[in-house]
Structure formats: structure tokens, C-alpha cells
Amino acid sequence: MPNAIRSAATQPASAKARAVATLETARAARAAMCTLANAGRVLHAHPALAQLRLVQAAPYGTRLVLSVGDAAHVGDSAAVQVADDD
């Protein structure tokens, strides 16, 4: 079979395979964006989870200074203000 005929016969199958691959890539990208959006909503609703994740991800020996609530300034040495509700 001549190359031109063989090429013409395989073009539709090749185009379909590329389209399927492109569709799968788009689906994966959408799933990743949905996952990130959900994680963003959870972290917005529960900011302490972000601090917990930071502590979990920090390598051994890392010095972390976390503020709780409305701590004075991040630059202060671990200053924490506690509100009295009485």
C-alpha cells in the first residue's frame, strides 16, 4: 500500500486519539482546580488547619512562630494576646 494512502487511512484514528488525550488533560486540570478550590474554602473557614499543615510540613529543626487570634505583631517574639470575655 502506498504511503499516501496509508497515511490518509491512519489520520482519523490519530486525530481521535489526540482528541481523547486532550479531553483527558482538560478533565484532569478541572479536577485539580476543583480540589484546590475546595481546599481554599476549607482553609478560609478553618485557618488553624493551615497552621497545622505548616507545622506538619516543616523539616526537623525548623523554628516556627505561630500567632493565635489577634497576636500583637508577627515581628514580636511570640507575643500572644488573650482576650478576657468576663
Side-chain angles (χ1 to χ4, degrees):
M1 189 184 298
N3 285 339
I5 295 174
R6 185 179 310 138
S7 176
T10 59
Q11 254 182 345
S14 176
K16 184 176 180 178
R18 282 193 305 276
V20 169
T22 301
L23 181 60
E24 263 320 294
T25 301
R27 285 180 180 157
R30 182 186 180 280
M33 290 300 293
C34 286
T35 300
L36 287 172
N38 289 337
R41 280 192 289 274
V42 169
L43 291 177
H44 182 72
H46 308 284
L49 289 176
Q51 289 182 343
L52 177 61
R53 183 64 189 113
L54 176 66
V55 170
Q56 288 176 332
Y60 179 78
T62 301
R63 180 177 177 212
L64 296 174
V65 179
L66 301 175
S67 64
V68 178
D70 293 330
H73 295 285
V74 176
D76 293 349
S77 62
V80 176
Q81 297 176 345
V82 178
D84 189 9
D85 291 336
D86 291 346

